[in-house]
Amino acid sequence: MKGKFIVLEGPDRCGKSTQAKLLYNYLLERGCDVILTREPGGTPAAERIRQIVLEPGLDIRPVAELLLYEASRAQHTQEKIIPALQAGKIVICERYTMSTCAYQGYARGLDLNMIETVNHIATTGLKPDLTLVFLMSDKYFSSRGEYLFSDRLEREDREFRQNMRHGYQKLAERTENAYLIDADADVDAIRAQVAELVEKHHILDLCPSRKS
């Protein structure tokens, strides 16, 4: 691929969206050709699946939940991510395959080998060039979401969240080019750390200022 693929991972309310937007603006200011997207979602069809899988009150069984996420991912990857990378763009995505392993694997208890197989099918083997894993203390989950609408997964209990966070830690340790980031830290400190990692992985080499 000509472009670069950056994924921001982590639990709900850990600050991914804030940092994704800050990174997007940081790259835009440097003249980079960059898009910001998310999972589940990112395209009209994938966003419709997102509405189903996150709707509070729906009884969605774990395997069905997994396959809904993968259907959304397959559409998103084929329709949006791969074409952008082939065109030489930088793609920033909130969540990708690691989230499925953390939520449906470690938290739901589905077989990780099965999840990795369907992840591979949905992505045709596409892997991020850089994965940033944001982990925060559980004490911030409630305080950060006090005025937020809670989707179906955000309404899961503390044990679910603990298992999911443990999963992210284990996955980050064994994933190439993945970095754990302390999401309890100050927003500006996190932004600086993200910029440093982007620099380290030569993402800015795609920007006009570096090509000249």
Side-chain angles (χ1 to χ4, degrees), residues 39 43 72-84 86 96 120-126:
E39 287 207 347
T43 72
S72 175
R73 176 166 298 132
Q75 182 70 29
H76 184 216
T77 301
Q78 291 295 318
E79 182 181 344
K80 191 168 189 176
I81 297 176
I82 289 178
Q86 289 174 335
Y96 204 55
H120 184 81
I121 293 169
T123 64
T124 64
L126 178 67

Side-chain angles (χ1 to χ4, degrees), residues 149-195:
F149 167 80
S150 293
D151 63 38
R152 194 173 60 84
L153 290 181
E154 287 175 333
R155 297 185 181 190
E156 293 289 348
D157 60 22
R158 183 183 179 89
E159 182 181 4
F160 179 93
R161 295 195 301 272
Q162 289 176 334
N163 289 337
M164 171 264 295
R165 276 198 301 274
H166 174 70
Y168 272 124
Q169 290 174 324
K170 300 295 288 185
L171 292 161
E173 290 170 3
R174 64 180 179 87
T175 300
E176 186 177 6
N177 298 326
Y179 298 85
L180 284 172
I181 293 178
D182 179 9
D184 292 351
D186 177 77
V187 170
D188 288 333
I190 296 172
R191 176 174 57 182
Q193 185 179 1
V194 168

Side-chain angles (χ1 to χ4, degrees), residues 5 7 98 127-133 172-180 197 200-201:
F5 187 24
V7 172
M98 187 182 287
K127 295 183 181 300
D129 296 290
L130 175 63
T131 302
L132 307 173
V133 185
E173 290 170 3
R174 64 180 179 87
T175 300
E176 186 177 6
N177 298 326
Y179 298 85
L180 284 172
L197 289 168
K200 176 180 178 180
H201 284 267

Side-chain angles (χ1 to χ4, degrees), residues 37-175:
T37 189
R38 69 176 183 177
E39 287 207 347
T43 72
E47 288 288 341
R48 292 287 294 273
I49 298 172
R50 177 188 179 93
Q51 292 173 5
I52 295 170
V53 78
L54 295 181
E55 183 176 335
L58 281 185
D59 179 11
I60 302 178
R61 303 306 167 93
V63 172
E65 181 181 77
L66 169 65
L67 295 177
L68 284 168
Y69 276 114
E70 298 295 355
S72 175
R73 176 166 298 132
Q75 182 70 29
H76 184 216
T77 301
Q78 291 295 318
E79 182 181 344
K80 191 168 189 176
I81 297 176
I82 289 178
L85 293 173
Q86 289 174 335
K89 299 177 187 291
I90 299 170
V91 177
I92 302 169
C93 187
E94 294 181 49
R95 299 195 189 280
Y96 204 55
T97 54
M98 187 182 287
S99 280
T100 308
C101 292
Y103 276 78
Q104 282 67 53
Y106 282 88
R108 289 274 188 246
L110 294 182
D111 181 72
L112 282 171
N113 290 328
M114 175 183 69
I115 292 173
E116 289 173 356
T117 296
V118 290
N119 273 340
H120 184 81
I121 293 169
T123 64
T124 64
L126 178 67
K127 295 183 181 300
D129 296 290
L130 175 63
T131 302
L132 307 173
V133 185
F134 297 81
L135 290 182
M136 67 176 182
S137 304
D138 193 65
K139 64 181 180 180
Y140 290 115
F141 179 80
S142 297
S143 62
R144 291 182 178 182
E146 184 177 358
Y147 301 107
L148 297 177
F149 167 80
S150 293
D151 63 38
R152 194 173 60 84
L153 290 181
E154 287 175 333
R155 297 185 181 190
E156 293 289 348
D157 60 22
R158 183 183 179 89
E159 182 181 4
F160 179 93
R161 295 195 301 272
Q162 289 176 334
N163 289 337
M164 171 264 295
R165 276 198 301 274
H166 174 70
Y168 272 124
Q169 290 174 324
K170 300 295 288 185
L171 292 161
E173 290 170 3
R174 64 180 179 87
T175 300

